[in-house]
Amino acid sequence: MKFLFAACLAVLVHPSTFAGEASPAVDVGDWSKANERVHEVGGWKAYAREIESSQAAPVQTQAQGSRTALSLDEAIERAMALEPSLRSTLANVSRHPKDYPLLSDHQRSALTQESRLVADIRALYFAAVVAKERVNYQAQVVETAAIVSELATRMRKVGNLNLLHQTEEQLSLAKTQRHLSQARLHAATSLEALARRLQHGGDPNSLHLPSRLPELPKQLAEMSSVDQNLLKSPSSHPSVLQTQSEVRLALVARDEAYASARHYRDEILPLQRRLSEEHLLHYNGMIKGVFDLLKDARHQIQAVEGYLQALHSYWHSEAALEPKLAALREQLSQLRRDAWK
């Protein structure tokens, strides 16, 4: 779905449109044609961010130009390669929860270590990808704000805008530029953290991360029946009760993050798109002015940023769940082996 952010530059030819003057009646049926005409003459500068999950490429196959992006699996493999003894220990070990009590202490310890390693890499990877995505998006916002600020300056010169509105748009541009600077710093920090963890030498940008987070899965993965039983297993030990509580909270966090991201994707973003289309039609019909569009553009920005945050929260909470399950298996394997029966 496409989100339009920029103000109309060509309308400077007709400054009265923005002066609060009465607009002539327009046939509703002509709005769509007017909209198409505005695009044809280049009056609108549009920016798009595709959200449809059906069109989103998986992280594993995204590319930066002609270079294939580093997938999450590849990042985990690089991290595992730095732990040869761990890889050797786990070479032929069953990872199914039902087989856990049959493993040696050394093998179980290796599985716990692996779960922490994978969670660590996933968290760092997703943080770096979403930070990069925010930079790309914020750069579009800054470019839009620059166009709007220039538009306001020109309107002020021809007497169709007061100093208050011009100053507001200049301040908005200054703030978006600051936000872009902060986003770039955060992206660089996140990328450096991932590069350090993978012991990647040279320029961190050579990791070639994907430009966006993976979309939501169609449905949440269910815990194995073994893990479900372990989570419900009665125990009087303080340690086990604490871990069971942490697992339950991690599940709630994951489920709620998934629901929030899905709500943004399926409800908020489509509604925002529909609202934006209506604003544009009303503007082309000279029923609304440019500042109505600017207000709508800010709502679009908030909606997209909210979706990015919700999507990242889901993947982060998904990564945090497995180490807690691994800790629960280890505790009960030592204290309550009968929990597997």
Side-chain angles (χ1 to χ4, degrees):
M1 59 185 65
K2 295 183 178 180
F3 294 86
L4 303 177
F5 300 107
C8 181
L9 299 181
V11 294
L12 289 173
V13 179
H14 306 287
S16 62
T17 304
F18 308 99
E21 299 178 8
S23 300
V26 178
D27 182 2
V28 174
D30 293 333
W31 290 1
S32 295
K33 291 182 180 179
N35 185 16
E36 293 173 1
R37 179 56 183 159
V38 170
H39 280 285
E40 289 174 3
V41 300
W44 277 83
K45 185 166 184 178
Y47 301 97
R49 183 189 185 279
E50 297 298 332
I51 300 296
E52 302 290 350
S53 59
S54 60
Q55 298 177 357
V59 170
Q60 288 79 0
T61 59
Q62 288 180 326
Q64 298 286 312
S66 60
R67 300 171 295 187
T68 302
L70 177 71
S71 72
L72 175 60
D73 288 343
E74 290 169 339
I76 293 174
E77 179 61 25
R78 289 193 186 190
M80 288 295 293
L82 300 174
E83 305 287 346
S85 61
L86 178 62
R87 172 183 279 181
S88 177
T89 301
L90 296 175
N92 298 307
V93 172
S94 172
R95 287 170 171 76
H96 197 286
K98 70 179 180 61
D99 297 327
Y100 195 83
L102 305 177
L103 304 178
S104 67
D105 291 345
H106 183 59
Q107 290 172 327
R108 293 200 308 273
S109 176
L111 281 175
T112 300
Q113 183 180 349
E114 180 192 43
S115 71
R116 292 171 180 167
L117 179 149
V118 170
D120 186 32
I121 297 302
R122 291 181 71 189
L124 291 171
Y125 182 87
F126 290 138
V129 171
V130 75
K132 178 180 179 179
E133 187 169 6
R134 284 197 177 102
V135 168
N136 294 336
Y137 179 70
Q138 190 62 38
Q140 295 179 3
V141 173
V142 168
E143 188 173 0
T144 297
I147 293 172
V148 172
S149 180
E150 175 63 19
L151 173 63
T153 298
R154 295 186 183 186
M155 289 175 63
R156 169 71 175 161
K157 287 181 179 179
V158 297
N160 287 308
L161 191 70
N162 58 41
L163 181 60
L164 173 62
H165 281 153
Q166 180 192 15
T167 305
E168 286 177 341
E169 297 310 325
Q170 290 176 331
L171 178 60
S172 177
L173 173 60
K175 287 181 177 179
T176 58
Q177 290 171 331
R178 175 57 180 163
H179 292 161
L180 176 58
S181 176
Q182 293 173 332
R184 285 173 173 163
L185 175 59
H186 183 65
T189 301
S190 299
L191 185 59
E192 287 285 355
L194 177 62
R196 286 196 304 270
R197 183 62 181 81
L198 297 179
Q199 296 185 21
H200 177 78
D203 184 4
N205 290 302
S206 62
L207 286 173
H208 309 314
L209 293 180
S211 59
R212 65 172 54 184
L213 288 171
E215 291 293 340
L216 288 173
K218 292 183 178 180
Q219 60 185 18
L220 286 170
E222 294 186 1
M223 284 197 308
S224 68
S225 58
V226 173
D227 284 332
Q228 292 181 36
N229 290 335
L230 295 179
L231 187 57
K232 298 175 183 177
S233 178
S235 175
S236 59
H237 200 282
S239 180
V240 172
L241 292 174
Q242 174 68 24
T243 304
Q244 287 176 324
S245 176
E246 291 177 358
V247 171
R248 286 192 295 269
L249 289 175
L251 281 169
V252 171
R254 183 201 65 169
D255 294 353
E256 290 301 319
Y258 180 84
S260 177
R262 186 173 60 182
H263 182 64
Y264 265 100
R265 184 194 64 189
D266 299 343
E267 299 292 337
I268 295 179
L269 291 180
L271 287 172
Q272 182 63 59
R273 177 197 177 196
R274 186 187 310 169
L275 186 62
S276 298
E277 289 172 347
E278 289 300 314
H279 274 295
L280 183 57
L281 288 174
H282 281 68
Y283 167 76
N284 287 333
M286 292 185 286
I287 295 176
K288 289 193 175 184
V290 69
F291 291 105
D292 293 305
L293 294 180
L294 299 182
K295 181 179 179 180
D296 176 66
R298 294 186 178 99
H299 290 162
Q300 295 173 41
I301 292 170
Q302 292 172 0
V304 173
E305 289 179 343
Y307 176 68
L308 287 179
Q309 179 60 45
L311 188 59
H312 179 232
S313 294
Y314 165 72
W315 287 114
H316 181 80
S317 60
E318 182 72 37
L321 176 59
E322 183 56 34
K324 297 184 184 303
L325 282 172
L328 181 60
R329 293 174 199 140
E330 179 60 18
Q331 287 178 343
L332 289 177
S333 70
Q334 298 178 13
L335 301 172
R336 284 285 310 277
R337 291 218 169 201
D338 58 322
W340 267 265
K341 296 180 180 179

